[in-house]
Amino acid sequence: MKFSYNWIREMVPALDIEPRELLRLITTKTAECEGLEVVGAALALASVAQVIHVEPIAGSHNQIAIVETERYGKKTVVCGAPNCRAGMQTVYIPVAMTVIQGVESDGMLASGLELGINRDHTGIVELGGELLLAPDSVIEVDNKSLTHRPDLWGHHGMAREVAAITHQSLRDPVQLELLPKGAAQIGVQIEDLALCPRYSALVFENVTVGPSPLWLQYRLESIGLNSINNIVDVTNYVMAEIAQPMHAFDAEKLHGKTIFVRSAKGGENIVALNDERYTLAPSNLIIADAEGPIAIAGVIGGRDSAIGAQTKRVVLEAACFQAASVRKTSVSLKLRTDASMRFEKSQDPVNTVRGLARAFELLYQVSPGIRLIGGVADCKADLKTAPSIDLSIEWLIRKLGRLVTAEEVREILTALEFGVTETGPGSFSVSVPSWRATKDVSIKDDLLEEVGRMIGYESITPRPPLIECAVPPDNPARKYEREVRDLVAARGFTEVHNYSFISEEMARAFHFDPDAHIKVTNPIAADQSLMRPSLLPGIRRNLIDNSRRLNSFRLFEIGREIHPRLEGLPEEIPHLAAASFAREGDGSVGLFELKRLAECLMPRCEVQPAPARKYEHPRRSATVSWRGGSIGRLFELHPSLGVEGRAAILDLDLALIERLDQREERYQSLRRFPTSAFDLSVITGLRDPVGSVEKLLARAAGSDLVEIEFVRQYTGAPLPEDRKSVSYRLTVGALDRTLSSEEVAVIRNRIIDAMREAGYELRV
Amino acid sequence: MAPGQRPDSLVLENQIAQLESATLARIHAAKNLEELEAIRVDVLGRKGSLTQFSKEFGKLTPEERSSAGKSLNAAKQSLESAFDERKQGFASEALEERLEAEWIDLTLPAPGTSPGSLHPVTRIQREIEDLFTSLGFAVLDGPEVETEYHNFDALNIPPEHPARDMQDTFWLSDGNLLRTHTSPVQVRGMERLGPPLRMIAPGRVFRNEEVDASHEHTFYQVEGMMVDRNVSVANLIYFMKTLLSAIFHREVTVRLRPGYFPFVEPGFELDIQCLICGGGGCQVCKQSGWVELLPCGLVHPNVLRMSGIDPEQWGGFAFGLGLTRLAMMRYGVDDIRLFASGDLRFLRQF
Ligand SMILES: [Zn+2]
């Protein structure tokens, strides 16, 4: 929303603060200002000029014009405007002397665009009297900070703030007493007063449609509104001044003598002022005549009933529509207008007739000869006064953490036009003005804000609270994630963050059925349409991107997998996905690095070969399990996924580990008797996992086993090509005595027999 | 001395002295441990030349014997300590020689993998978690996929409320949404823990926005809330000043100005005085001297009520801080897209 400094000053006549300082004050006390812009700067030096003589320049559309200026005397300028002619009155600006087509031009005659008063550049300004325009400063306020303030969508509301901030008096631009009494010339019927609490209208005849006077064009231009014609410009002016959206219909194009405010019927449609056709639904509130829709309520008018050059009679509408309804319609039609933005903020129904009064006054200025017919049509709900709010000074002091006096509070609220009645020592009953009562202010906390912002938050001294100390509730899962992060980073992995979105294509590549997972209904891009059921697609992208620049690297992410559930919110499972990439080598280093990482997180976890998933190397995939739970996968990424080189990946369910990690392990008492050790070498198939050999050995050793330790594996002569020898060192012992060498030999033989029985050959 | 002749004790003592000084010279001249040991055996051994002198003592008067004995012992002691000293000298020479040979170039790179690093947002997040934990705040988590109720309604943002426009929302096929802020964790915290309550909730949030150098659809926030009997604006400012001074490692100046957020009343935008120009005005602060940093306010009574807390008995403050933005300020990162880029050239710098 843009605010004209000069416009505000019309309502706060004593305003003597520079625009930049005013901007700072508004920012700290009312709403965030985003910028300050000077408009119409050229007007500072502009002068009214009478064109005395015009002479063409041969071979050019330019002319030499001799002008008599009010401020600078007689001047000779070169002018290319087609409307430049002797006898006209226009505007001269003293720019530096230039030579155009051999002619010295001392200054220039200006178009509306050049002066910044409108967007017209087809010719120079046609002036019909004095040029009473001056440069202006425009303050732009962030719309988001006006969300709760329907009144600040007009200059009068902002002027009220400025008056309160600067302790000046405020002038109301509206003279309500101008409104005519008497029977209205048009009927209004409202179907649902909840959706339209008030609809007011006036009818005018003998209307002349034409360009607005320059001051009106300039005002609208300075706050970014386009001048259309005198009638439409007045409606926009009133909207920008008192936040009341207005609409003018060509009365001759309306059917019947009644305006209906009703829900659209299915199938009804309307061509709007923007030349778009909108098909309406029953959820859309419309303005209709006897034939059908003439406007979409609170959003936009219809093209067929719009004001045109030939318009003679006008119905002027000033209504109030329910915020939620307007917003719903505006969203469903994808159409936001200056009107809908205002109605969405819950406008004040009291304001409709004020809008008519102000427009009436302005129309008499801009459309000479215009005449009112009849009185105000005014159909409205029972407009209740908002209940007063009890406010205690003691409560204010407690909430602010700063002393305030009853006098300060009264002064602040009164300046903002709240009604303040003292009901006891330090307590008030506060009535809320209608323009703040629609949604913005209803409880004492809202008044706290009014007092707080006006006394200035900078006047509050920071103070620590006095509260009982307590140990905060624990969050073991988060603590655990932190430990994991530290450990993984310390082991050489760099943390990445990936989006929670993946493409359907990637989901399929990673074995997920896109239709079985949660989709984003309004994705930012087609390739980010699915909630990730796995961190792996993101990791794959990291691998591809970084492998373009690096020959080897390690990275990891801790993030949530999102899985649908039949009921309630989806399941969010924290996962660790770590990857080790090497362009060269056979890939085993990365896999074992990750296996060791898994062991660091889960001491004595087991890695068991498992059938590979589609995205896993078919001969390099395993499940990781720990304490009886299956925790995740260790694998090399399948080359078909586009990573050139070797990428080992560990993917673990952190929630599961964290839960199993909570289990308390009991200490085992230390052995009091010496143990004995011996080595065994088992011959096995080249691709038989040594893990199974180890398990068999351990099982054969039974309760005598203290420890089993891998020593080495060997291939080559004298073993056949498809065999390998695996050596283990077994330590055995008893809890209650030292085993004799004979006993140890018995155990050893028992193990050898058991292994032979299981079909293994032993080298003893 | 002729046999049978009574030896002169003085001569004997003189001979001991001579042997002592000759031996000291030999000890000094010894070239290694073996040579030294040979000399020791030769002089101090059981058949050594010094030991031999004692055999002569029997022929002396008791007085002479005592005097000669003293001389002999003194010589023995002096030689023994000379031997030890020389021996130690050899040992330390040998050690020095060994150490000298064992030179290692420590500028060579360490074998094994060099450590990785944590994401810059993780680092900032930890600092904030640690600070608030030290102030007695709980660190809570909430789901990234939220219900419309928790993300909006329970925060005093009913359907059709224009504030819903302030946060472009990702909607999901299951009817839920991606949380647009970490504020729903406030609601879950109040529902679960009740008052009094001190909590923060860091996490990932989502806004349906086009991505450019300063906008991301996925970023990190930390939400904070305190609910107690007497919580004032003065308390809020205190916590914010403490938080920001800790984050920026220096005293910061803050200001509150009105800001509209439906879940707080009054609501504030908190600005800090520009750390680049110190408030004089520069490009970073768009010449205003202030940088907008975080929204905060006193918890709206409706929000308390919806979570089953009586606003007449309890009050509180809440704030939301953009962690990603903070990381940008802290490390001078000028492109927000780097955070989710997975680019190790960027991430390894932290
Ligand atoms: Zn600055």
Side-chain angles (χ1 to χ4, degrees):
Chain A
M1 174 82 190
K2 287 180 171 179
F3 291 94
S4 147
Y5 179 85
N6 289 347
W7 203 338
I8 289 174
R9 198 159 51 182
E10 275 179 16
M11 291 172 267
V12 189
L15 180 62
D16 57 357
I17 290 172
E18 288 299 303
R20 184 151 293 282
E21 173 62 5
L22 186 64
L23 177 146
R24 194 191 67 79
L25 286 169
I26 292 173
T27 293
T28 52
K29 294 186 185 290
T30 302
E32 182 176 353
C33 299
E34 287 183 318
L36 184 69
E37 185 197 352
V38 173
V39 296
L43 290 168
L45 293 172
S47 169
V48 174
Q50 195 77 33
V51 181
I52 299 165
H53 177 75
V54 171
E55 195 182 312
I57 302 175
S60 160
H61 71 282
N62 287 334
Q63 309 179 89
I64 300 168
I66 296 164
V67 297
E68 184 64 49
T69 73
E70 262 176 24
R71 290 172 70 180
Y72 306 104
K74 190 173 278 185
K75 295 284 178 188
T76 302
V77 297
V78 174
C79 181
N83 65 334
C84 179
R85 60 189 188 276
M88 80 179 294
Q89 202 179 38
T90 185
V91 177
Y92 168 87
I93 318 177
V95 294
M97 172 104 66
T98 50
V99 178
I100 302 166
Q101 282 156 338
V103 182
E104 279 190 351
S105 180
D106 184 8
M108 65 182 276
L109 302 181
S111 71
L113 185 79
E114 282 158 343
L115 288 170
I117 58 180
N118 58 30
R119 288 168 210 180
D120 184 13
H121 197 48
T122 58
I124 52 177
V125 171
E126 301 261 2
L127 213 55
E130 285 175 279
L131 179 70
L132 293 169
L133 307 179
D136 197 356
S137 295
V138 173
I139 296 172
E140 178 149 19
V141 176
D142 178 15
N143 283 351
K144 281 179 188 171
S145 68
L146 301 178
T147 306
H148 59 313
R149 292 292 301 269
D151 60 320
L152 295 188
W153 289 78
H155 278 71
H156 183 229
M158 188 55 85
R160 185 183 295 111
E161 294 284 320
V162 170
I165 292 169
T166 59
H167 308 284
Q168 305 287 359
S169 58
L170 176 72
R171 195 183 70 78
D172 185 353
V174 176
Q175 292 170 269
L176 213 48
E177 62 279 10
L178 291 177
L179 285 178
K181 306 278 184 280
Q185 286 295 298
I186 190 146
V188 175
Q189 270 186 33
I190 301 174
E191 182 185 78
D192 184 348
L193 286 167
L195 299 180
C196 175
R198 191 170 196 180
Y199 193 103
S200 315
L202 277 178
V203 185
F204 295 90
E205 62 177 5
N206 203 28
V207 174
T208 326
V209 179
S212 291
L214 287 179
W215 68 263
L216 178 51
Q217 294 188 28
Y218 178 39
R219 265 290 148 80
L220 295 178
E221 176 65 28
S222 66
I223 57 163
L225 293 174
N226 203 357
S227 171
I228 312 278
N229 58 47
N230 52 350
I231 309 300
V232 174
D233 285 359
V234 163
T235 64
N236 284 332
Y237 186 94
V238 174
M239 173 181 73
E241 187 170 62
I242 62 168
Q244 173 63 54
M246 315 267 297
H247 185 68
F249 297 101
D250 185 329
E252 271 142 36
K253 291 176 182 161
L254 299 183
H255 305 86
K257 291 210 120 201
T258 306
I259 284 177
F260 300 94
V261 183
R262 59 167 172 86
S263 298
K265 294 170 187 148
E268 274 186 319
N269 61 73
I270 184 172
V271 179
L273 282 169
N274 60 4
D275 291 329
E276 295 280 329
R277 179 179 293 276
Y278 294 95
T279 304
L280 303 165
S283 62
N284 304 135
L285 190 70
I286 56 159
I287 314 300
D289 62 10
E291 300 273 289
I294 53 171
I296 304 170
V299 182
I300 197 166
R303 190 183 62 188
D304 295 345
S305 57
I307 303 299
Q310 308 308 317
T311 300
K312 289 290 164 226
R313 286 203 305 136
V314 165
V315 174
L316 191 63
E317 159 199 304
C320 185
F321 302 107
Q322 187 203 56
S325 161
V326 171
R327 183 168 185 279
K328 227 187 287 176
T329 297
S330 159
V331 169
S332 72
L333 301 180
K334 296 190 176 64
L335 180 61
R336 295 198 84 198
T337 59
D338 288 315
S340 77
M341 275 196 297
R342 285 174 172 82
F343 283 123
E344 280 178 8
K345 314 299 185 280
S346 297
Q347 284 297 334
D348 175 13
V350 171
N351 215 17
T352 62
V353 286
R354 287 171 47 80
L356 291 180
R358 181 62 170 144
F360 170 58
E361 183 189 355
L362 291 167
L363 284 172
Y364 269 77
Q365 289 179 41
V366 305
S367 176
I370 195 169
R371 273 195 310 270
L372 253 178
I373 348 179
V376 180
D378 191 14
C379 187
K380 62 186 175 194
D382 180 16
L383 303 178
K384 290 196 180 73
T385 315
S388 292
I389 303 168
D390 291 332
L391 183 65
S392 104
I393 300 295
E394 183 272 329
W395 181 83
L396 275 177
I397 291 171
R398 201 148 48 83
K399 286 288 176 186
L400 287 172
R402 172 204 194 272
L403 283 176
V404 280
T405 65
E407 210 31 64
E408 278 173 308
V409 173
R410 176 195 290 280
E411 209 171 282
I412 286 167
L413 293 176
T414 309
L416 292 167
E417 300 191 54
F418 287 84
V420 182
T421 315
E422 199 154 1
T423 50
S427 64
F428 292 120
S429 173
V430 180
S431 66
V432 184
S434 62
W435 56 88
R436 301 293 304 274
T438 52
K439 197 185 61 180
D440 177 19
V441 178
S442 59
I443 52 175
K444 59 185 173 184
D445 305 76
D446 299 323
L447 298 177
L448 169 64
E449 169 156 47
E450 298 303 301
V451 174
R453 67 192 178 96
M454 285 297 168
I455 56 165
Y457 297 121
E458 71 284 352
S459 67
I460 298 174
T461 311
R463 201 167 280 128
L466 297 171
I467 46 171
E468 288 174 16
C469 77
V471 177
D474 199 12
N475 188 341
R478 180 172 282 276
K479 239 185 233 167
Y480 183 71
E481 271 183 31
R482 183 187 273 225
E483 282 168 22
V484 173
R485 271 199 177 85
D486 282 339
L487 182 107
V488 180
R491 294 195 70 85
F493 295 77
T494 294
E495 189 185 15
V496 300
H497 283 171
N498 287 313
Y499 291 149
S500 301
F501 312 117
I502 60 169
S503 67
E504 299 200 1
E505 180 200 349
M506 267 308 116
R508 270 183 230 109
F510 279 91
H511 227 46
F512 296 102
D513 172 12
D515 292 326
H517 290 277
I518 299 171
K519 287 182 183 159
V520 182
T521 55
N522 55 340
I524 204 115
D527 64 349
Q528 299 183 17
S529 61
L530 206 64
M531 294 309 294
R532 58 178 177 184
S534 161
L535 305 192
L536 299 176
I539 295 290
R540 168 193 169 268
R541 184 189 65 111
N542 302 143
L543 286 164
I544 290 176
D545 290 349
N546 286 293
S547 67
R548 292 203 186 101
R549 294 179 287 263
L550 301 165
N551 286 323
S552 76
F553 56 86
R554 295 168 192 79
L555 52 82
F556 77 103
E557 179 176 18
I558 289 180
R560 299 184 189 177
E561 288 186 355
I562 312 281
H563 297 278
R565 261 197 288 233
L566 283 176
E567 254 175 69
L569 288 173
E571 195 175 4
E572 298 183 12
I573 309 171
H575 264 244
L576 163 70
S580 176
F581 171 85
R583 191 182 310 287
E584 311 291 337
D586 68 358
S588 62
V589 176
L591 284 164
F592 285 107
E593 231 170 50
L594 289 169
K595 180 175 180 178
R596 177 47 52 87
L597 177 64
E599 287 167 345
C600 290
L601 292 168
M602 301 169 286
R604 290 182 295 282
C605 67
E606 279 188 59
V607 174
Q608 289 291 336
R613 296 172 178 173
K614 207 168 114 193
Y615 53 90
E616 298 175 342
H617 187 305
R619 293 289 172 263
R620 297 176 171 193
S621 70
T623 59
V624 181
S625 51
W626 189 48
R627 294 182 171 175
S630 177
I631 305 295
R633 305 284 292 186
L634 172 65
F635 61 92
E636 185 174 305
L637 196 64
H638 198 286
S640 67
L641 280 145
V643 179
E644 283 178 30
R646 304 282 186 174
I649 294 180
L650 177 69
D651 181 13
L652 300 176
D653 179 334
L654 286 182
L656 213 50
I657 308 179
E658 197 258 326
R659 217 170 310 142
L660 294 170
D661 197 45
Q662 300 297 315
R663 196 192 294 167
E664 302 227 341
E665 299 274 282
R666 295 281 302 194
Y667 142 83
Q668 284 188 337
S669 53
L670 304 180
R671 283 177 181 273
R672 291 170 52 211
F673 299 93
T675 56
S676 312
F678 52 86
D679 287 5
L680 287 176
S681 295
V682 182
I683 314 292
T684 173
L686 207 54
R687 289 195 169 190
D688 288 344
V690 297
S692 341
V693 174
E694 179 179 327
K695 270 198 181 145
L696 273 175
L697 284 169
R699 194 186 306 154
S703 59
D704 298 313
L705 187 69
V706 175
E707 200 187 350
I708 180 163
E709 189 189 344
F710 174 82
V711 180
R712 75 184 74 82
Q713 66 173 358
Y714 173 77
T715 52
L719 294 169
E721 246 175 40
D722 61 343
R723 315 294 285 167
K724 67 183 170 193
S725 157
V726 190
S727 304
Y728 277 93
R729 174 155 302 148
L730 288 89
T731 307
V732 295
L735 288 173
D736 54 353
R737 66 190 194 287
T738 307
L739 294 178
S740 70
S741 54
E742 290 76 22
E743 284 175 301
V744 172
V746 168
I747 296 168
R748 185 168 177 273
N749 288 332
R750 193 183 73 218
I751 298 170
I752 290 169
D753 289 347
M755 291 304 284
R756 287 198 168 130
E757 211 159 293
Y760 288 94
E761 193 188 323
L762 273 86
R763 300 207 304 177
V764 283
Chain B
M1 190 186 323
Q5 200 178 347
R6 192 175 151 278
D8 185 337
S9 74
L10 285 176
V11 172
L12 198 60
E13 281 176 42
N14 194 28
Q15 284 171 342
I16 289 170
Q18 275 175 13
L19 180 61
E20 184 187 344
S21 65
T23 307
L24 284 173
R26 285 173 70 195
I27 289 170
H28 194 70
K31 293 210 167 49
N32 53 40
L33 211 54
E34 288 75 40
E35 252 180 57
L36 186 69
E37 181 60 13
I39 297 164
R40 199 189 61 80
V41 172
D42 188 32
V43 180
L44 293 176
R46 226 187 310 151
K47 289 184 179 149
S49 35
L50 190 71
T51 323
Q52 294 303 316
F53 280 112
S54 57
K55 292 182 181 156
E56 307 286 331
F57 285 10
K59 297 163 188 165
L60 299 178
T61 62
E63 292 81 22
E64 285 174 333
R65 202 182 298 153
S66 149
S67 156
K70 274 179 190 154
S71 302
L72 187 70
N73 274 335
K76 206 172 167 180
Q77 266 174 24
S78 126
L79 287 176
E80 268 169 0
S81 74
F83 273 118
D84 283 350
E85 200 177 303
R86 191 78 180 106
K87 205 168 158 183
Q88 264 170 29
F90 280 130
S92 62
E93 272 167 37
L95 185 64
E96 262 167 48
E97 213 171 292
R98 196 193 99 201
L99 297 181
E100 173 57 30
E102 286 172 345
W103 175 78
I104 285 179
D105 182 359
L106 289 174
T107 65
L108 284 170
T113 61
S114 32
S117 57
L118 295 176
H119 196 278
V121 171
T122 301
R123 294 169 58 114
I124 291 275
Q125 183 179 323
R126 283 186 175 190
E127 284 183 32
I128 292 173
E129 285 180 16
D130 291 347
L131 173 75
F132 277 96
T133 310
S134 76
L135 290 165
F137 282 63
V139 184
L140 301 185
D141 285 302
E144 289 170 6
V145 176
E146 262 296 2
T147 60
E148 197 177 343
Y149 173 80
H150 278 98
N151 195 75
F152 289 124
D153 300 64
L155 290 162
N156 206 26
I157 316 174
E160 309 310 330
H161 193 291
R164 289 203 177 189
D165 286 350
M166 290 156 71
Q167 304 176 353
D168 296 315
T169 310
F170 283 114
W171 295 91
L172 302 181
S173 53
D174 65 354
N176 291 307
L177 50 80
L178 290 175
R179 63 176 175 193
T180 56
H181 45 192
T182 38
S183 313
V185 190
Q186 277 183 22
V187 179
R188 293 180 179 278
M190 287 187 288
E191 287 169 351
R192 192 161 66 85
L193 302 170
L197 175 68
R198 272 171 284 165
M199 56 149 280
I200 59 163
R204 173 178 279 211
V205 300
F206 309 83
R207 301 270 171 93
N208 196 337
E209 274 186 26
E210 288 299 326
V211 174
D212 61 31
S214 47
H215 297 89
E216 250 293 4
H217 58 58
T218 301
F219 53 97
Y220 286 76
Q221 273 189 345
V222 61
E223 191 76 12
M225 176 185 238
M226 171 176 172
V227 177
D228 216 295
R229 296 281 176 194
N230 276 310
V231 179
S232 67
V233 177
N235 299 151
L236 169 62
I237 305 176
Y238 167 80
F239 274 103
M240 295 303 98
K241 240 178 106 74
T242 306
L243 163 69
L244 296 172
S245 296
I247 290 170
F248 292 107
H249 304 302
R250 63 179 115 162
E251 192 72 10
V252 296
T253 307
V254 303
R255 79 168 181 195
L256 293 186
R257 54 186 172 78
Y260 173 64
F261 312 97
F263 37 99
V264 284
E265 185 66 62
F268 312 114
E269 286 284 5
L270 183 135
D271 299 336
I272 59 167
Q273 199 160 62
C274 180
L275 296 172
I276 310 291
C277 64
C282 69
Q283 250 185 335
V284 171
C285 59
K286 293 181 206 139
Q287 308 304 329
S288 72
W290 297 92
V291 177
E292 181 177 317
L293 203 58
L294 62 95
C296 53
L298 297 188
V299 184
H300 198 289
N302 287 354
V303 173
L304 292 172
R305 219 173 277 127
M306 265 184 281
S307 297
I309 297 174
D310 179 2
E312 291 302 317
Q313 298 295 317
W314 303 91
F317 66 73
F319 65 90
L321 178 59
L323 288 174
T324 307
R325 229 180 104 229
L326 208 57
M328 291 179 84
M329 291 175 75
R330 175 75 169 270
Y331 300 114
V333 179
D334 52 9
D335 190 338
I336 195 170
R337 291 169 293 198
L338 285 167
F339 291 102
S341 67
D343 191 333
L344 293 177
R345 291 172 302 173
F346 169 70
L347 296 167
R348 279 175 174 171
Q349 297 179 30
F350 302 96

